[in-house]
Amino acid sequence: MKTAVSSVKSTSLAVYFADFKEITKARLAVSVVFSSIAGYFLGAVEINFLSVLLLAFGGYCMVGASNAYNQIIEKDLDALMSRTKNRPIPAGRMSVGTAMAIAVLMTILGIVALYFLNPKTAMFGAISIFLYTSVYTPLKTITPLAVFVGAFPGAIPFMLGWVAATDNFGVEPGTLFMIQFFWQFPHFWALGWMLDEDYKKGGFKMLPTGKKDKGTALQIIMYTIWMIIISVIPVFGFTGRLQLSIVAAVIIFLMGTVMLFFAFRLYEKRDNVSARKLMLASVSYITLMQVVYVMDKFI
């Protein structure tokens, strides 16, 4: 009997934990934390591991809160789409009240953790939550410009790490912001291309032309080119303490051209397979680019 009760409790805890990961989008949150820590390493003169822990915790809370608010707001629309109908709220496994409690608690904990680093970091974290939930989320069903608006909070993490390490916002974190800002367009439009039919069930307008056409593919190519240019600018010495060696710049440029290749393939074929390859290439690019930046500083 005790074994059966323990098994039920264990299963319940597993379900609750899985729903918590889903409501906070754990994979996305971890990738954001990775970007923030990379930015911290680039800005820090000395690595303080307590600061890294605060940044990781605060960053996860900020992203988790944003995603929880988002799923509360879009619960009825999520129920209409195949990829989201099994989320905790539309599936009935979590109440709106519980999700709101998680979101509010994570907002408070995240802002406090980032404030311990410095007030600027907490401010940018709060701005990120506000833009994501109060501007980007409502615009998704109104205009494709929602992706442009959403790129602002999405670009904050890489920059946030530098600000956390230095308590300063200048050309260096501004450059990190711009890299991740331009990266988001090919990434999210590739994702939007793949999921266009499902997005339309919820009334979301994610593609710039509203269609899976050459116009959308051409814009993906243009933003990818801008992303590559901004990514290698530090090699020219215009970006203060944020510097890049020639070898690192060449590596990043070559990685960017791989992503650009897949963007051209999407323009040529205009199919979901090409969009998926571009999306995966974009994920690899942003991660490896940040690794190269950090390694180039310390090696």
PDB file of all heavy atoms in Angstrom, residues 5-6 15 17-18 29 32 35 42 50 63 72 82 136 144 150 157 161 183 186 191 217 227 248 254 271 280 283 297:
ATOM      1  N   VAL A   5       1.165   4.272  -2.805  1.00  0.00           N
ATOM      2  CA  VAL A   5       1.013   5.698  -2.492  1.00  0.00           C
ATOM      3  C   VAL A   5       2.245   6.476  -2.904  1.00  0.00           C
ATOM      4  O   VAL A   5       2.167   7.555  -3.497  1.00  0.00           O
ATOM      5  CB  VAL A   5       0.726   5.892  -0.984  1.00  0.00           C
ATOM      6  CG1 VAL A   5       0.761   7.375  -0.629  1.00  0.00           C
ATOM      7  CG2 VAL A   5      -0.618   5.293  -0.611  1.00  0.00           C
ATOM      8  N   SER A   6       3.414   5.920  -2.604  1.00  0.00           N
ATOM      9  CA  SER A   6       4.678   6.569  -2.970  1.00  0.00           C
ATOM     10  C   SER A   6       4.798   6.713  -4.478  1.00  0.00           C
ATOM     11  O   SER A   6       5.263   7.727  -4.989  1.00  0.00           O
ATOM     12  CB  SER A   6       5.868   5.764  -2.435  1.00  0.00           C
ATOM     13  OG  SER A   6       5.842   5.705  -1.039  1.00  0.00           O
ATOM     14  N   VAL A  15       4.727  14.970 -12.908  1.00  0.00           N
ATOM     15  CA  VAL A  15       3.806  15.735 -13.760  1.00  0.00           C
ATOM     16  C   VAL A  15       3.902  17.221 -13.438  1.00  0.00           C
ATOM     17  O   VAL A  15       3.949  18.065 -14.345  1.00  0.00           O
ATOM     18  CB  VAL A  15       2.356  15.235 -13.574  1.00  0.00           C
ATOM     19  CG1 VAL A  15       1.380  16.169 -14.288  1.00  0.00           C
ATOM     20  CG2 VAL A  15       2.210  13.825 -14.099  1.00  0.00           C
ATOM     21  N   PHE A  17       6.401  18.830 -12.139  1.00  0.00           N
ATOM     22  CA  PHE A  17       7.697  19.340 -12.587  1.00  0.00           C
ATOM     23  C   PHE A  17       7.697  19.524 -14.103  1.00  0.00           C
ATOM     24  O   PHE A  17       8.211  20.526 -14.623  1.00  0.00           O
ATOM     25  CB  PHE A  17       8.810  18.385 -12.166  1.00  0.00           C
ATOM     26  CG  PHE A  17      10.194  18.867 -12.519  1.00  0.00           C
ATOM     27  CD1 PHE A  17      10.710  20.029 -11.956  1.00  0.00           C
ATOM     28  CD2 PHE A  17      10.971  18.161 -13.421  1.00  0.00           C
ATOM     29  CE1 PHE A  17      11.982  20.487 -12.292  1.00  0.00           C
ATOM     30  CE2 PHE A  17      12.244  18.603 -13.758  1.00  0.00           C
ATOM     31  CZ  PHE A  17      12.746  19.769 -13.195  1.00  0.00           C
ATOM     32  N   ALA A  18       7.110  18.555 -14.812  1.00  0.00           N
ATOM     33  CA  ALA A  18       7.033  18.667 -16.277  1.00  0.00           C
ATOM     34  C   ALA A  18       6.202  19.880 -16.683  1.00  0.00           C
ATOM     35  O   ALA A  18       6.545  20.598 -17.630  1.00  0.00           O
ATOM     36  CB  ALA A  18       6.431  17.390 -16.863  1.00  0.00           C
ATOM     37  N   ALA A  29      14.511  29.006 -21.716  1.00  0.00           N
ATOM     38  CA  ALA A  29      15.076  29.737 -20.579  1.00  0.00           C
ATOM     39  C   ALA A  29      16.545  29.404 -20.377  1.00  0.00           C
ATOM     40  O   ALA A  29      17.359  30.288 -20.102  1.00  0.00           O
ATOM     41  CB  ALA A  29      14.279  29.427 -19.312  1.00  0.00           C
ATOM     42  N   VAL A  32      18.627  31.175 -22.924  1.00  0.00           N
ATOM     43  CA  VAL A  32      18.742  32.591 -22.576  1.00  0.00           C
ATOM     44  C   VAL A  32      19.769  32.786 -21.472  1.00  0.00           C
ATOM     45  O   VAL A  32      20.591  33.705 -21.512  1.00  0.00           O
ATOM     46  CB  VAL A  32      17.372  33.158 -22.151  1.00  0.00           C
ATOM     47  CG1 VAL A  32      17.519  34.541 -21.533  1.00  0.00           C
ATOM     48  CG2 VAL A  32      16.437  33.223 -23.350  1.00  0.00           C
ATOM     49  N   SER A  35      23.202  32.638 -22.929  1.00  0.00           N
ATOM     50  CA  SER A  35      23.568  33.901 -23.575  1.00  0.00           C
ATOM     51  C   SER A  35      23.987  34.941 -22.546  1.00  0.00           C
ATOM     52  O   SER A  35      24.963  35.674 -22.738  1.00  0.00           O
ATOM     53  CB  SER A  35      22.397  34.447 -24.400  1.00  0.00           C
ATOM     54  OG  SER A  35      22.124  33.633 -25.504  1.00  0.00           O
ATOM     55  N   LEU A  42      32.277  37.942 -21.099  1.00  0.00           N
ATOM     56  CA  LEU A  42      32.905  38.924 -21.983  1.00  0.00           C
ATOM     57  C   LEU A  42      33.148  40.250 -21.270  1.00  0.00           C
ATOM     58  O   LEU A  42      34.142  40.933 -21.525  1.00  0.00           O
ATOM     59  CB  LEU A  42      32.034  39.154 -23.219  1.00  0.00           C
ATOM     60  CG  LEU A  42      31.925  37.979 -24.204  1.00  0.00           C
ATOM     61  CD1 LEU A  42      30.924  38.287 -25.303  1.00  0.00           C
ATOM     62  CD2 LEU A  42      33.292  37.667 -24.806  1.00  0.00           C
ATOM     63  N   LEU A  50      29.429  33.814  -7.549  1.00  0.00           N
ATOM     64  CA  LEU A  50      28.153  34.160  -6.940  1.00  0.00           C
ATOM     65  C   LEU A  50      27.342  35.028  -7.896  1.00  0.00           C
ATOM     66  O   LEU A  50      26.128  34.854  -8.041  1.00  0.00           O
ATOM     67  CB  LEU A  50      28.371  34.898  -5.614  1.00  0.00           C
ATOM     68  CG  LEU A  50      27.091  35.397  -4.910  1.00  0.00           C
ATOM     69  CD1 LEU A  50      26.147  34.229  -4.616  1.00  0.00           C
ATOM     70  CD2 LEU A  50      27.436  36.160  -3.637  1.00  0.00           C
ATOM     71  N   VAL A  63      12.788  34.898 -17.807  1.00  0.00           N
ATOM     72  CA  VAL A  63      12.251  34.213 -18.984  1.00  0.00           C
ATOM     73  C   VAL A  63      11.051  33.357 -18.603  1.00  0.00           C
ATOM     74  O   VAL A  63      10.033  33.336 -19.296  1.00  0.00           O
ATOM     75  CB  VAL A  63      13.333  33.337 -19.645  1.00  0.00           C
ATOM     76  CG1 VAL A  63      12.772  32.639 -20.882  1.00  0.00           C
ATOM     77  CG2 VAL A  63      14.538  34.179 -20.031  1.00  0.00           C
ATOM     78  N   ILE A  72      -0.722  32.421 -20.130  1.00  0.00           N
ATOM     79  CA  ILE A  72      -1.985  32.837 -19.511  1.00  0.00           C
ATOM     80  C   ILE A  72      -2.803  33.669 -20.500  1.00  0.00           C
ATOM     81  O   ILE A  72      -3.996  33.438 -20.708  1.00  0.00           O
ATOM     82  CB  ILE A  72      -1.725  33.651 -18.225  1.00  0.00           C
ATOM     83  CG1 ILE A  72      -1.127  32.753 -17.139  1.00  0.00           C
ATOM     84  CG2 ILE A  72      -3.007  34.308 -17.727  1.00  0.00           C
ATOM     85  CD1 ILE A  72      -0.570  33.520 -15.954  1.00  0.00           C
ATOM     86  N   SER A  82      -2.120  22.805 -32.743  1.00  0.00           N
ATOM     87  CA  SER A  82      -1.635  21.455 -32.445  1.00  0.00           C
ATOM     88  C   SER A  82      -0.417  21.461 -31.537  1.00  0.00           C
ATOM     89  O   SER A  82      -0.302  20.646 -30.621  1.00  0.00           O
ATOM     90  CB  SER A  82      -1.299  20.731 -33.757  1.00  0.00           C
ATOM     91  OG  SER A  82      -2.428  20.636 -34.586  1.00  0.00           O
ATOM     92  N   TYR A 136       4.669  42.667 -27.234  1.00  0.00           N
ATOM     93  CA  TYR A 136       4.858  41.600 -28.228  1.00  0.00           C
ATOM     94  C   TYR A 136       3.682  40.630 -28.274  1.00  0.00           C
ATOM     95  O   TYR A 136       3.123  40.364 -29.345  1.00  0.00           O
ATOM     96  CB  TYR A 136       6.151  40.845 -27.926  1.00  0.00           C
ATOM     97  CG  TYR A 136       6.300  39.535 -28.650  1.00  0.00           C
ATOM     98  CD1 TYR A 136       6.467  39.496 -30.037  1.00  0.00           C
ATOM     99  CD2 TYR A 136       6.273  38.322 -27.955  1.00  0.00           C
ATOM    100  CE1 TYR A 136       6.602  38.279 -30.709  1.00  0.00           C
ATOM    101  CE2 TYR A 136       6.406  37.114 -28.612  1.00  0.00           C
ATOM    102  CZ  TYR A 136       6.569  37.098 -29.980  1.00  0.00           C
ATOM    103  OH  TYR A 136       6.707  35.898 -30.637  1.00  0.00           O
ATOM    104  N   PRO A 144       2.445  41.456 -38.356  1.00  0.00           N
ATOM    105  CA  PRO A 144       3.735  40.771 -38.404  1.00  0.00           C
ATOM    106  C   PRO A 144       4.861  41.577 -37.745  1.00  0.00           C
ATOM    107  O   PRO A 144       5.919  41.026 -37.452  1.00  0.00           O
ATOM    108  CB  PRO A 144       3.994  40.613 -39.910  1.00  0.00           C
ATOM    109  CG  PRO A 144       2.649  40.669 -40.533  1.00  0.00           C
ATOM    110  CD  PRO A 144       1.854  41.630 -39.698  1.00  0.00           C
ATOM    111  N   GLY A 150       9.189  41.931 -30.651  1.00  0.00           N
ATOM    112  CA  GLY A 150       9.667  40.839 -29.819  1.00  0.00           C
ATOM    113  C   GLY A 150      11.168  40.657 -29.864  1.00  0.00           C
ATOM    114  O   GLY A 150      11.760  40.084 -28.941  1.00  0.00           O
ATOM    115  N   PRO A 157      19.261  39.401 -23.379  1.00  0.00           N
ATOM    116  CA  PRO A 157      20.089  38.515 -22.559  1.00  0.00           C
ATOM    117  C   PRO A 157      21.596  38.620 -22.773  1.00  0.00           C
ATOM    118  O   PRO A 157      22.355  38.689 -21.798  1.00  0.00           O
ATOM    119  CB  PRO A 157      19.580  37.122 -22.940  1.00  0.00           C
ATOM    120  CG  PRO A 157      18.161  37.341 -23.308  1.00  0.00           C
ATOM    121  CD  PRO A 157      18.135  38.668 -24.000  1.00  0.00           C
ATOM    122  N   GLY A 161      24.233  40.203 -19.649  1.00  0.00           N
ATOM    123  CA  GLY A 161      25.394  39.647 -18.967  1.00  0.00           C
ATOM    124  C   GLY A 161      26.515  40.661 -18.829  1.00  0.00           C
ATOM    125  O   GLY A 161      27.162  40.753 -17.767  1.00  0.00           O
ATOM    126  N   TRP A 183      19.868  38.465 -35.339  1.00  0.00           N
ATOM    127  CA  TRP A 183      19.799  37.007 -35.441  1.00  0.00           C
ATOM    128  C   TRP A 183      18.375  36.498 -35.328  1.00  0.00           C
ATOM    129  O   TRP A 183      17.998  35.505 -35.964  1.00  0.00           O
ATOM    130  CB  TRP A 183      20.657  36.378 -34.335  1.00  0.00           C
ATOM    131  CG  TRP A 183      20.412  34.920 -34.157  1.00  0.00           C
ATOM    132  CD1 TRP A 183      20.936  33.889 -34.893  1.00  0.00           C
ATOM    133  CD2 TRP A 183      19.546  34.299 -33.179  1.00  0.00           C
ATOM    134  NE1 TRP A 183      20.462  32.686 -34.433  1.00  0.00           N
ATOM    135  CE2 TRP A 183      19.607  32.912 -33.386  1.00  0.00           C
ATOM    136  CE3 TRP A 183      18.741  34.802 -32.152  1.00  0.00           C
ATOM    137  CZ2 TRP A 183      18.888  32.009 -32.599  1.00  0.00           C
ATOM    138  CZ3 TRP A 183      18.022  33.917 -31.370  1.00  0.00           C
ATOM    139  CH2 TRP A 183      18.101  32.534 -31.601  1.00  0.00           C
ATOM    140  N   PRO A 186      15.918  35.883 -38.907  1.00  0.00           N
ATOM    141  CA  PRO A 186      15.965  34.617 -39.659  1.00  0.00           C
ATOM    142  C   PRO A 186      15.549  33.421 -38.808  1.00  0.00           C
ATOM    143  O   PRO A 186      14.914  32.490 -39.314  1.00  0.00           O
ATOM    144  CB  PRO A 186      17.441  34.512 -40.095  1.00  0.00           C
ATOM    145  CG  PRO A 186      18.189  35.464 -39.229  1.00  0.00           C
ATOM    146  CD  PRO A 186      17.227  36.560 -38.892  1.00  0.00           C
ATOM    147  N   LEU A 191      11.205  29.523 -38.146  1.00  0.00           N
ATOM    148  CA  LEU A 191      10.265  28.797 -37.298  1.00  0.00           C
ATOM    149  C   LEU A 191       8.823  29.101 -37.697  1.00  0.00           C
ATOM    150  O   LEU A 191       7.980  28.200 -37.781  1.00  0.00           O
ATOM    151  CB  LEU A 191      10.503  29.187 -35.833  1.00  0.00           C
ATOM    152  CG  LEU A 191       9.698  28.438 -34.771  1.00  0.00           C
ATOM    153  CD1 LEU A 191      10.053  26.958 -34.774  1.00  0.00           C
ATOM    154  CD2 LEU A 191       9.953  29.049 -33.393  1.00  0.00           C
ATOM    155  N   ALA A 217      11.366  35.113 -47.726  1.00  0.00           N
ATOM    156  CA  ALA A 217      12.698  34.506 -47.832  1.00  0.00           C
ATOM    157  C   ALA A 217      13.769  35.565 -48.093  1.00  0.00           C
ATOM    158  O   ALA A 217      14.885  35.482 -47.559  1.00  0.00           O
ATOM    159  CB  ALA A 217      12.703  33.456 -48.937  1.00  0.00           C
ATOM    160  N   MET A 227      23.234  40.392 -39.682  1.00  0.00           N
ATOM    161  CA  MET A 227      23.697  39.669 -38.492  1.00  0.00           C
ATOM    162  C   MET A 227      25.177  39.322 -38.608  1.00  0.00           C
ATOM    163  O   MET A 227      25.957  39.495 -37.650  1.00  0.00           O
ATOM    164  CB  MET A 227      22.881  38.388 -38.329  1.00  0.00           C
ATOM    165  CG  MET A 227      23.299  37.498 -37.166  1.00  0.00           C
ATOM    166  SD  MET A 227      22.766  35.774 -37.415  1.00  0.00           S
ATOM    167  CE  MET A 227      23.933  35.240 -38.698  1.00  0.00           C
ATOM    168  N   ALA A 248      39.164  34.539 -34.892  1.00  0.00           N
ATOM    169  CA  ALA A 248      37.801  34.377 -34.392  1.00  0.00           C
ATOM    170  C   ALA A 248      36.793  35.001 -35.348  1.00  0.00           C
ATOM    171  O   ALA A 248      35.714  34.436 -35.586  1.00  0.00           O
ATOM    172  CB  ALA A 248      37.677  35.006 -33.006  1.00  0.00           C
ATOM    173  N   LEU A 254      32.539  32.519 -41.293  1.00  0.00           N
ATOM    174  CA  LEU A 254      32.274  31.263 -41.998  1.00  0.00           C
ATOM    175  C   LEU A 254      31.008  30.591 -41.455  1.00  0.00           C
ATOM    176  O   LEU A 254      30.213  30.047 -42.231  1.00  0.00           O
ATOM    177  CB  LEU A 254      33.476  30.320 -41.868  1.00  0.00           C
ATOM    178  CG  LEU A 254      34.741  30.761 -42.619  1.00  0.00           C
ATOM    179  CD1 LEU A 254      35.896  29.817 -42.324  1.00  0.00           C
ATOM    180  CD2 LEU A 254      34.476  30.834 -44.132  1.00  0.00           C
ATOM    181  N   ASP A 271      10.276  25.579 -48.963  1.00  0.00           N
ATOM    182  CA  ASP A 271       9.572  24.458 -48.348  1.00  0.00           C
ATOM    183  C   ASP A 271       9.928  24.353 -46.868  1.00  0.00           C
ATOM    184  O   ASP A 271      10.860  25.003 -46.388  1.00  0.00           O
ATOM    185  CB  ASP A 271       9.885  23.145 -49.072  1.00  0.00           C
ATOM    186  CG  ASP A 271      11.376  22.802 -49.063  1.00  0.00           C
ATOM    187  OD1 ASP A 271      12.164  23.519 -48.401  1.00  0.00           O
ATOM    188  OD2 ASP A 271      11.764  21.825 -49.723  1.00  0.00           O
ATOM    189  N   LEU A 280      17.588  25.248 -37.534  1.00  0.00           N
ATOM    190  CA  LEU A 280      18.615  24.507 -36.792  1.00  0.00           C
ATOM    191  C   LEU A 280      19.987  25.161 -36.956  1.00  0.00           C
ATOM    192  O   LEU A 280      20.770  25.230 -36.001  1.00  0.00           O
ATOM    193  CB  LEU A 280      18.659  23.053 -37.277  1.00  0.00           C
ATOM    194  CG  LEU A 280      17.416  22.213 -36.958  1.00  0.00           C
ATOM    195  CD1 LEU A 280      17.521  20.839 -37.613  1.00  0.00           C
ATOM    196  CD2 LEU A 280      17.236  22.070 -35.450  1.00  0.00           C
ATOM    197  N   VAL A 283      20.168  28.168 -34.605  1.00  0.00           N
ATOM    198  CA  VAL A 283      20.407  27.783 -33.209  1.00  0.00           C
ATOM    199  C   VAL A 283      21.869  27.455 -32.996  1.00  0.00           C
ATOM    200  O   VAL A 283      22.487  27.873 -32.000  1.00  0.00           O
ATOM    201  CB  VAL A 283      19.513  26.581 -32.819  1.00  0.00           C
ATOM    202  CG1 VAL A 283      19.899  26.058 -31.435  1.00  0.00           C
ATOM    203  CG2 VAL A 283      18.044  26.975 -32.841  1.00  0.00           C
ATOM    204  N   LYS A 297      38.394  35.615 -25.987  1.00  0.00           N
ATOM    205  CA  LYS A 297      38.822  36.531 -24.937  1.00  0.00           C
ATOM    206  C   LYS A 297      39.840  35.879 -23.996  1.00  0.00           C
ATOM    207  O   LYS A 297      40.812  36.512 -23.570  1.00  0.00           O
ATOM    208  CB  LYS A 297      37.623  36.997 -24.113  1.00  0.00           C
ATOM    209  CG  LYS A 297      38.026  37.867 -22.913  1.00  0.00           C
ATOM    210  CD  LYS A 297      36.833  38.265 -22.066  1.00  0.00           C
ATOM    211  CE  LYS A 297      37.321  39.030 -20.821  1.00  0.00           C
ATOM    212  NZ  LYS A 297      36.191  39.449 -19.944  1.00  0.00           N
TER     213      LYS A 297
END
